[in-house]
Amino acid sequence: MRKIDLDNLYEKFESEAHFIRDLYLVTKGLYGELRERDAYLSKLSELCFHKLYVAYEIYISNLFVGLINKDSQNYQQWLFNKALQQVSVGVPIWVKSGITFKPVKHLTVEQARKAIDPNGFNKTFSTAGDMVKFARGKISAVSGRNINSLSQPDRNLINSCIAMRNFIAHESASSRSTMNSQLRKINIGGGNAGLDRQAREVHKVGAYMRSIVNGQSRLEVYVSRLCVIAHSLKP
């Protein structure tokens, strides 16, 4: 039975991330001394970051499909337990105890995708903690060990990315406040030096992303960090 190649999933994400980084750097060099250079760079870096994080979300969704496709026993048991809870309301114990479940040996790729979302949507998460929580109990201990052990610096970075993505999409006062709150916490525990903002709040993601830290734009730092995180989540 055909199985999803997890290494290939990562390589596709890495290729896309590096393409976005190179697109930014090459286009940046074309602006020269244009009067609107800073405004163009801000908008370009914002668009590049948004596409970068969407690519990361697609990778994560496909990774979970791949992990369930590889070993679906935990997920099938979780589904059975969930179904049992729904049908057992008001049912006598002796009836409930007689309900049995025979797991399928292997789920196809399509079955694994439907397990993640029956409507065919990508699986996304509101926080890094939600992703870890989803993995526990649904993914085998061996396949999910790297997700379960996601470090705090990596969680901080992912949460900041989610907040910035939401602010780009909505530009509401609430989303801006959440974004700045996450960026104030992003380097707690280390691992994300130069990415935090304290006194000065971020009002435009593009201006934040194009700023230089340690010799490179923050956008380039996010590309590198997300590639490292994405690779670390594979079993």
Side-chain angles (χ1 to χ4, degrees):
M1 180 181 290
R2 180 173 67 93
K3 296 285 186 178
I4 291 178
D5 187 330
L6 301 182
D7 289 329
N8 183 251
L9 285 182
Y10 171 73
E11 289 166 5
K12 286 183 177 180
F13 167 69
E14 182 185 50
S15 177
E16 176 72 0
H18 288 175
F19 180 85
I20 291 168
R21 177 199 62 197
D22 293 346
L23 170 66
Y24 173 77
L25 293 174
V26 170
T27 308
K28 175 182 177 181
L30 299 176
Y31 288 150
E33 299 301 322
L34 286 176
R35 184 180 61 183
E36 303 89 347
R37 183 176 185 274
D38 288 348
Y40 286 168
L41 283 178
S42 291
K43 183 57 67 176
L44 175 65
S45 60
E46 177 183 292
L47 294 172
C48 285
F49 168 76
H50 188 264
K51 180 57 182 172
L52 169 68
Y53 197 70
V54 167
Y56 173 80
E57 287 186 317
I58 292 170
Y59 165 75
I60 293 299
S61 183
N62 287 335
L63 176 64
F64 274 100
V65 172
L67 292 175
I68 292 173
N69 175 235
K70 179 182 179 181
D71 181 355
S72 65
Q73 299 309 301
N74 284 59
Y75 199 84
Q76 289 189 59
Q77 186 62 52
W78 176 82
L79 285 175
F80 172 67
N81 292 340
K82 182 179 180 182
L84 190 61
Q85 289 176 354
Q86 293 177 345
V87 302
S88 63
V89 177
V91 174
I93 295 296
W94 63 268
V95 174
K96 179 180 176 180
S97 63
I99 300 174
T100 60
F101 170 61
K102 184 179 180 180
V104 177
K105 186 175 183 181
H106 296 294
L107 293 185
T108 66
V109 174
E110 185 57 29
Q111 286 172 328
R113 290 195 186 281
K114 292 293 185 181
I116 288 290
D117 189 289
N119 296 313
F121 292 107
N122 288 334
K123 182 64 181 177
T124 58
F125 302 96
S126 298
T127 66
D130 286 344
M131 180 185 70
V132 174
K133 183 178 179 180
F134 181 84
R136 289 175 181 163
K138 303 180 185 70
I139 307 298
S140 72
V142 173
S143 295
R145 64 182 182 273
N146 292 337
I147 299 173
N148 292 331
S149 61
L150 187 67
S151 71
Q152 192 59 52
D154 289 349
R155 293 184 188 219
N156 290 342
L157 185 122
I158 292 169
N159 289 339
S160 294
C161 286
I162 293 170
M164 285 187 285
R165 182 193 190 281
N166 290 341
F167 177 64
I168 291 171
H170 304 290
E171 294 189 358
S172 65
S174 178
S175 62
R176 183 175 68 247
S177 177
T178 299
M179 173 183 67
N180 280 291
S181 176
Q182 291 296 341
L183 289 174
R184 281 191 289 271
K185 298 183 291 186
I186 190 172
N187 197 41
I188 293 177
N192 298 307
L195 300 182
D196 57 322
R197 294 293 294 270
Q198 297 301 324
R200 296 178 59 191
E201 290 197 340
V202 173
H203 295 279
K204 293 183 180 297
V205 174
Y208 165 82
M209 281 291 165
R210 72 178 178 86
S211 296
I212 304 299
V213 293
N214 300 322
Q216 57 183 343
S217 67
R218 285 196 179 99
L219 176 67
E220 293 171 81
V221 177
Y222 276 93
V223 168
S224 298
R225 288 286 286 116
L226 284 174
C227 283
V228 169
I229 293 171
H231 188 270
S232 74
L233 296 178
K234 295 192 299 96

